[in-house]
């Protein structure tokens, strides 16, 4: 079968002879329709995050149709349209048993420590293939996993409609946080240097930065420590700072800053199985997260899709069965 395979930093080959997946008794085989690209995929593509092997199948934000079910699977059917929850927690360890599957130390992280889904067919544990409602676009389904990440951050933060929110960064996570806050009745202020991303954030319900202060919530989505300090300076005493973007740098503020201003620092990592995904999927027909997508490429143009992804205002996805060349949402 065909697969998009990383052969070295910045180089993707479309191969025709990748081995077919094997369906275990508790697995499903998904015939893939599309895969969204995000920051972690680009870090792998550029060689900034190392993967266990090259050649390596890329991608984790996938959707498709169930093509086969394992002998022990009772609650998935061939032909169902599904999105993949691409973090297969063990569901047995202490963290999993307390509900924090996002912290599972045995988690298979698709595309990073387990092979990706940018292939014609993949096998995965059946419970991580979530059926979706009819009527959604490929863009909506390609954006479902990052929507779930953003939604989990908002859920865990405890933000309410009465809060004043600042969103730092309008990449896909920032745009999705804006969209979700707007659905809650909050009109967030957004800071973003890229004018096209800023315009997209305004379409998602945000208002551009006008210098105001007194935010009760700051959502950091950019992963740039330098963007965090000025944002935190503008927070109200007692504010919650939600960190979503990942960054190896030390935080740019002191214990003094946090204690005197009584800040709450709240990290949010992906989502917890299965509640965050099922809740996000139930919202898709209204939330339509495909609004944050602006480019679609066929599989044979995967190289171009990856190469230009960081410069595009919105998200990019790759359509597996598309034969038409060129860039379009
Ligand atoms: Zn992602
Ligand atoms: Zn676990």
């Amino acid at each position: 079968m065909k697969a998009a395979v990383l052969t070295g930093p910045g180089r993707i080959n479309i191969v025709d002879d990748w081995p077919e997946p094997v369906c275990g008794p508790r697995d499903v085989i998904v015939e893939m329709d599309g895969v969204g690209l995000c920051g972690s995929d680009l870090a792998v593509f550029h060689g900034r995050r190392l993967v266990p092997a090259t050649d390596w199948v890329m991608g984790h934000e996938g959707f498709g149709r169930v093509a086969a079910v394992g002998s022990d699977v009772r609650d998935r059917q061939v032909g169902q349209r599904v999105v993949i929850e691409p973090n297969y927690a063990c569901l047995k360890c202490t963290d999993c048993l307390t509900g924090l599957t996002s912290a599972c130390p045995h988690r298979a992280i698709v595309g990073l420590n387990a092979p990706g889904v940018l292939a014609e067919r993949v096998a995965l544990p059946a419970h991580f293939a979530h059926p979706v409602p009819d009527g959604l676009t490929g863009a909506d389904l390609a954006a479902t996993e990052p929507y779930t990440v953003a939604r989990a951050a908002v859920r865990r933060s405890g933000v309410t409609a009465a809060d004043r929110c600042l969103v730092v960064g309008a990449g896909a996570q920032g745009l999705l946080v804006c969209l979700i806050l707007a659905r809650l009745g909050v009109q967030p202020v957004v800071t973003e240097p890229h004018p096209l991303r800023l315009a997209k954030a305004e379409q998602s319900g945000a208002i551009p930065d006008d210098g105001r202060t007194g935010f009760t919530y700051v959502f950091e989505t950019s992963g740039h420590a330098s963007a965090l300090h000025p944002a935190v300076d503008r927070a109200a005493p007692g504010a919650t700072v939600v960190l979503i973007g990942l960054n190896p740098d030390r935080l740019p503020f002191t214990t003094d800053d946090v204690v005197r201003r009584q800040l709450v620092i709240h990290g949010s990592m992906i989502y917890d199985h299965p509640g965050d995904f099922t809740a996000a999927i139930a919202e898709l027909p209204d939330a339509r997260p495909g609004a944050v997508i602006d480019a679609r490429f066929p599989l044979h143009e995967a190289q171009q899709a990856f190469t230009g992804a960081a410069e595009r205002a919105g998200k990019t996805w790759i359509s597996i069965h598309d034969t038409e060349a060129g860039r379009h949402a």
Side-chain angles (χ1 to χ4, degrees), residues 2 8 36 40-42 46 48 50 55 61 71 97 116 127 154 165 197 213 218 236 270 277 283 286 296 310 312 318:
K2 283 188 185 151
S40 63
D41 300 309
L42 298 183
H46 292 294
R48 293 194 301 270
L50 295 180
D55 306 343
E61 298 174 351
S71 53
L97 292 176
H127 287 162
V154 172
C165 298
R197 282 189 190 138
T213 59
V218 175
I270 58 166
F277 245 84
E283 292 174 2
D286 289 328
R296 179 180 87 199
R312 291 180 201 112
I318 293 174

Side-chain angles (χ1 to χ4, degrees), residues 284-317:
L284 292 178
D286 289 328
R288 306 309 295 256
V292 305
I293 300 258
D294 77 4
R296 179 180 87 199
F297 286 81
L299 182 62
H300 69 268
E301 291 185 4
Q303 176 76 39
Q304 294 94 304
F306 275 87
T307 305
E311 280 73 53
R312 291 180 201 112
K315 251 179 110 63
T316 298
W317 71 283

Side-chain angles (χ1 to χ4, degrees), residues 37-41 60-61 145-146 149 315:
L37 305 187
C38 92
S40 63
D41 300 309
H60 63 278
E61 298 174 351
E145 194 265 355
V149 173
K315 251 179 110 63

Side-chain angles (χ1 to χ4, degrees), residues 61-216:
E61 298 174 351
F63 64 96
R65 277 185 199 277
V66 176
V69 299
S71 53
D72 291 351
V73 175
R74 297 284 172 268
D75 50 2
R76 297 292 185 275
Q77 282 93 42
V78 170
Q80 272 180 322
R81 203 173 196 202
V82 291
V83 291
I84 294 172
E85 178 179 354
N87 285 275
Y88 311 148
C90 79
L91 309 182
K92 292 180 192 134
C93 71
T94 313
D95 296 307
C96 282
L97 292 176
T98 58
L100 207 63
T101 67
S102 49
C104 174
H106 313 295
R107 192 161 51 94
I109 309 170
V110 173
L112 287 175
N113 70 10
V117 294
L118 196 37
E120 286 186 294
R121 282 167 291 283
V122 299
L124 65 140
H127 287 162
F128 291 85
H130 294 274
V132 294
D134 292 334
L136 299 165
T137 64
D140 288 326
L141 298 178
T144 297
E145 194 265 355
Y147 177 81
T148 309
V149 173
R151 189 188 176 283
V154 172
R155 170 184 70 77
R156 290 163 173 158
S157 75
V159 66
T160 71
D163 281 299
R164 299 182 298 280
C165 298
L166 176 66
V167 176
V168 180
Q173 274 304 300
L175 291 173
L176 288 164
V177 167
C178 289
L179 191 117
I180 292 160
L181 289 174
R183 282 172 52 79
L184 279 179
V186 177
Q187 197 176 26
V189 171
V190 65
T191 60
E192 166 61 53
H194 190 307
L196 292 175
R197 282 189 190 138
L198 187 61
K200 252 183 135 48
E202 288 180 67
Q203 287 162 18
S204 302
I207 40 181
D209 189 14
D210 56 3
R212 72 182 75 179
T213 59
F215 296 102
T216 54

Side-chain angles (χ1 to χ4, degrees), residues 2 296-301 319-326 328:
K2 283 188 185 151
R296 179 180 87 199
F297 286 81
L299 182 62
H300 69 268
E301 291 185 4
S319 175
I320 308 289
H321 299 292
D322 231 342
T323 48
E324 189 191 335
H328 37 216

